[in-house]
Amino acid sequence: MPPVSRVARNLVRSIIGSTEDALTTRQMYQQLATKFPKHVYIPERTQNVKAERGTSASQAIVDSVDRSIFDIQSMRHLKMDVLRELQERGEVQKVHTKRQISHAETSKPGKPKKPESSQTQGSSLTDAWVWRFTPTARSNPLPTEPTDAEPPAVVLEKSEPKTHLMMYPVPENNHLNTRRRNARPAKEKRDRAWATEIRKVMSEGAKEARASSNVA
């Protein structure tokens, strides 16, 4: 895993703070490469590589540049290392939103259309995960230079692990009449016992199937 430098974190802070719109990882990488080309690795070009017999042709990056000299070495490095570290510092958060589909995306030949359930009817919106500052980090001064000093990390409060009952509370039975409400606990107990029995039978069946395959 490539190390994350102070410069890399400051570059991302500068990009996020320079726009009011939350950015996807790809949008952020493109803006970083445009604004800070000396700090961001950009592949030179690709070429067809002769494939081995029985395999299809593939694409390979062709360049002679050492990636380690760059503060942001790839879009994966940005997402998995730089942004994750800023997230752990309590400075950025990843949120779900709807974004406008560009004309290039809607008219791209060969691209399958998404079902209506994943798009808003009557509009060209699609699901997207975007990055933005946390409420606490928004008040931090933006770096003017990549080598500027960093703001202190935000101390995140550790929450107690939630139990299954806390995450999925039992719904109220106020919509039932008195007879059904009184009978509901016994019904839920039978349902739980039935679910336990089903899991037990499935587990035993899986063990028998594995045993049969080993014998064969």
Side-chain angles (χ1 to χ4, degrees), residues 52-124:
E52 297 180 1
R53 181 177 298 177
T55 62
S56 59
S58 60
Q59 293 283 326
I61 300 296
V62 178
D63 65 61
S64 56
V65 180
D66 181 10
R67 293 194 188 196
S68 63
I69 66 176
F70 294 94
D71 294 286
I72 297 179
Q73 301 176 18
S74 65
M75 186 161 64
R76 177 178 175 82
H77 180 218
L78 169 65
K79 177 181 179 180
M80 303 302 295
D81 301 321
V82 184
L83 285 168
R84 179 174 293 179
E85 189 164 305
L86 286 170
Q87 192 175 26
E88 292 174 353
R89 288 171 59 92
E91 296 186 48
V92 301
Q93 58 186 169
K94 193 176 185 181
V95 296
H96 178 265
T97 186
K98 296 280 186 178
R99 70 175 179 88
Q100 195 76 24
I101 303 177
S102 66
H103 177 72
E105 289 176 303
T106 56
S107 60
K108 187 175 181 180
K111 183 177 182 180
K113 293 183 178 180
K114 292 185 177 181
E116 293 183 357
S117 60
S118 63
Q119 295 185 1
T120 305
Q121 291 183 337
S123 64
S124 299

Side-chain angles (χ1 to χ4, degrees), residues 81-207:
D81 301 321
V82 184
L83 285 168
R84 179 174 293 179
E85 189 164 305
L86 286 170
Q87 192 175 26
E88 292 174 353
R89 288 171 59 92
E91 296 186 48
V92 301
Q93 58 186 169
K94 193 176 185 181
V95 296
H96 178 265
T97 186
K98 296 280 186 178
R99 70 175 179 88
Q100 195 76 24
I101 303 177
S102 66
H103 177 72
E105 289 176 303
T106 56
S107 60
K108 187 175 181 180
K111 183 177 182 180
K113 293 183 178 180
K114 292 185 177 181
E116 293 183 357
S117 60
S118 63
Q119 295 185 1
T120 305
Q121 291 183 337
S123 64
S124 299
L125 297 178
T126 186
D127 295 302
W129 288 94
V130 295
W131 295 93
R132 68 184 183 189
F133 281 133
T134 59
T136 305
R138 287 175 193 157
S139 58
N140 292 336
L142 294 177
T144 57
E145 296 292 336
T147 55
D148 284 354
E150 297 184 278
V154 178
V155 179
L156 301 177
E157 295 183 2
K158 294 184 178 180
S159 57
E160 294 294 329
K162 294 183 178 180
T163 64
H164 186 275
L165 184 60
M166 292 171 64
M167 293 187 292
Y168 305 100
V170 178
E172 296 290 340
N173 297 326
N174 296 334
H175 64 288
L176 302 176
N177 58 34
T178 302
R179 180 181 63 82
R180 291 187 174 182
R181 188 160 53 245
N182 293 336
R184 179 54 61 95
K187 180 180 182 301
E188 292 176 348
K189 184 177 180 180
R190 290 195 302 271
D191 290 343
R192 288 194 295 269
W194 174 248
T196 301
E197 184 65 23
I198 291 295
R199 287 194 296 270
K200 180 180 178 182
V201 171
M202 292 177 63
S203 177
E204 292 175 352
K207 290 180 181 178

